[in-house]
Amino acid sequence: MSDQQNFDEYYGYQYEELSLGQSAVYARTVTEADILAFAGVTGDFNPVHINQELAESTMFGGRIAHGMLSAGFISTVFGMKLPGPGCIYLSQTLKFKAPVKIGDTVTVRCTIKELTPEKRKAKFDTVCTVKGKVVLEGEAEIMVPKR
Amino acid sequence: MSDQQNFDEYYGYQYEELSLGQSAVYARTVTEADILAFAGVTGDFNPVHINQELAESTMFGGRIAHGMLSAGFISTVFGMKLPGPGCIYLSQTLKFKAPVKIGDTVTVRCTIKELTPEKRKAKFDTVCTVKGKVVLEGEAEIMVPKR
Amino acid sequence: MSDQQNFDEYYGYQYEELSLGQSAVYARTVTEADILAFAGVTGDFNPVHINQELAESTMFGGRIAHGMLSAGFISTVFGMKLPGPGCIYLSQTLKFKAPVKIGDTVTVRCTIKELTPEKRKAKFDTVCTVKGKVVLEGEAEIMVPKR
Amino acid sequence: MSDQQNFDEYYGYQYEELSLGQSAVYARTVTEADILAFAGVTGDFNPVHINQELAESTMFGGRIAHGMLSAGFISTVFGMKLPGPGCIYLSQTLKFKAPVKIGDTVTVRCTIKELTPEKRKAKFDTVCTVKGKVVLEGEAEIMVPKR
């Protein structure tokens, strides 16, 4: 015990601290650099993300972000804010509703819609918007184990 | 027309070329640098991804990749291989089954399980494995518009 | 007002919520990729950071991280945790006590040591350690303006 | 000795070559990509750095760079120019005087103000300016060991 480091203060909410309707938010302006970094780390070099000339010829009118980048922002809310470190990401559904363009600020809100205490699970609504318009929506299941 | 660039050869499969059971695969070894780049681009600095000492104290025994990084590899299959550029990502479900560790090679296979020609939609099984063990599974809906 | 977005929930502590002795912590394992990214963004390509062969010939025995990378982690505590978004970074002193090597987990703790309410200022002790050994220490002055 | 690589030509100034008033300069235009890379490597995702909409609502009027990014440029002067590779960074004080915005070119000048030969130490004034306006100032202590 003596030389065991205590990590308690790095962890997020305990399951008992969660309540229906509780929510957290994260927002990030999506830049060209983000899109390229995401392409580089995933390998998704679809020209609609990396080729401005081709992208201009599509219905999007220019390069757009990867849908999974916005999905990554949902993961940021769970891992950093609510429930925060220590939670286990069980599942996520994603409906891509509209493209995200360079310069758009994506706002993610995750809201608890269902609690199943005997399994220590919480179900969240997960919604990404740009200037109030939904670009991505779905729901997630998270478990918060006992520490 | 004369100075209009033709991008046809950048595009992937036409809807009529798709068939049930058709599949494509992508695999990538996940490195420490990938995890950090993904953290950097999303903002998900959950200590289980960036703090080796804390991560060693968890059931994972060390730093793990973001689940959404593997999800990003699914997007790579759709955007790069099948159906390839030009397709529209409509939805994705994700069940995170097991962690991905530094050095693991994640293999993604996407297989057409349903075709709805009147809507030009295809439904895919999407499975990520590490050494044959499923780490992430779900399904996706993709639309392939007429060009 | 109607179309004015409300950013209140993005902000951190109000000045009145701060108290002497309050502290926050952040820890990150420093990787080769971090050192290279830091070199790339600053331009500090001192060979002790990027040339393993030369670095092995020095008293450090291998590549070390930039001292200012650890200093950046101090900024992370202020910007993200305590006092969090909305605070103004006024000053920082830094004494570099020992090198940080690839694979070291740097733990930063910032502790309020002095409060000057009439100026809305807080003075912090800022200490970075690796396995309990101090690698960087100093103090910071932060202002938390009225919102 | 025969297979020992000689790294002499990688090193910077010897202590005996330093003189009062000697200075060196480094300048870099700060881009959006730099700010995001710095956020990614440190974990400082304070919204004033990554959320353009929120940043516009602050007194800064838009996203600003991390103060520690400019501090990193000071380290670049010491590690690359004066005294250059081989020197030991002992301490740095930093007073953040004004924000750095995307597109600003930060010029760092480091000037020797004091020499203590018996300890092989040099004290520097370190000043960062944008279009002649001081954004960061402080002083540093550097040691130049015998090689």
Side-chain angles (χ1 to χ4, degrees), chain A residues 13-81:
Chain A
Y13 286 86
Q14 303 265 15
Y15 189 82
E16 291 70 19
E17 297 170 305
L18 304 181
S19 58
L20 286 175
Q22 201 175 354
S23 77
V25 71
Y26 170 65
R28 174 160 177 149
T29 303
V30 172
T31 70
E32 182 182 61
D34 292 325
I35 295 172
L36 295 172
F38 196 85
V41 84
T42 59
D44 185 352
F45 284 72
N46 187 323
V48 80
H49 304 308
I50 63 149
N51 181 333
Q52 177 63 12
E53 292 184 358
L54 179 145
E56 283 176 2
S57 78
T58 69
M59 62 175 167
F60 302 121
R63 281 168 296 165
I64 61 171
H66 303 73
M68 283 296 176
L69 176 58
S70 296
F73 299 158
I74 299 173
S75 154
T76 301
V77 173
F78 294 138
M80 300 293 281
K81 295 196 157 187

Side-chain angles (χ1 to χ4, degrees), chain C residues 12-129:
Chain C
Y13 286 85
Q14 303 264 17
Y15 189 82
E16 291 71 16
E17 297 170 305
L18 304 181
S19 59
L20 285 178
Q22 202 174 354
S23 77
V25 72
Y26 170 64
R28 173 160 178 149
T29 303
V30 172
T31 71
E32 183 182 58
D34 292 325
I35 295 172
L36 294 172
F38 196 86
V41 84
T42 59
D44 185 351
F45 283 72
N46 188 323
V48 80
H49 304 309
I50 62 150
N51 182 333
Q52 177 63 12
E53 292 183 359
L54 179 145
E56 283 176 2
S57 79
T58 69
M59 62 175 166
F60 302 121
R63 282 169 297 164
I64 60 171
H66 303 73
M68 281 298 175
L69 175 58
S70 297
F73 299 157
I74 300 174
S75 155
T76 301
V77 173
F78 293 137
M80 299 293 280
K81 297 197 156 186
L82 181 70
C87 75
I88 307 287
Y89 209 167
L90 298 176
S91 71
Q92 177 73 53
T93 64
L94 302 165
K95 290 187 184 175
F96 302 105
K97 312 291 279 189
V100 171
K101 302 190 172 185
I102 293 172
D104 282 352
T105 299
V106 175
T107 299
V108 186
R109 183 173 292 281
C110 299
T111 308
I112 299 177
K113 64 189 293 192
E114 199 179 306
L115 289 166
T116 314
E118 63 276 19
K119 294 185 172 173
R120 304 183 69 82
K121 284 189 192 173
K123 190 174 282 184
F124 287 77
D125 266 325
T126 57
V127 182
C128 302
T129 53

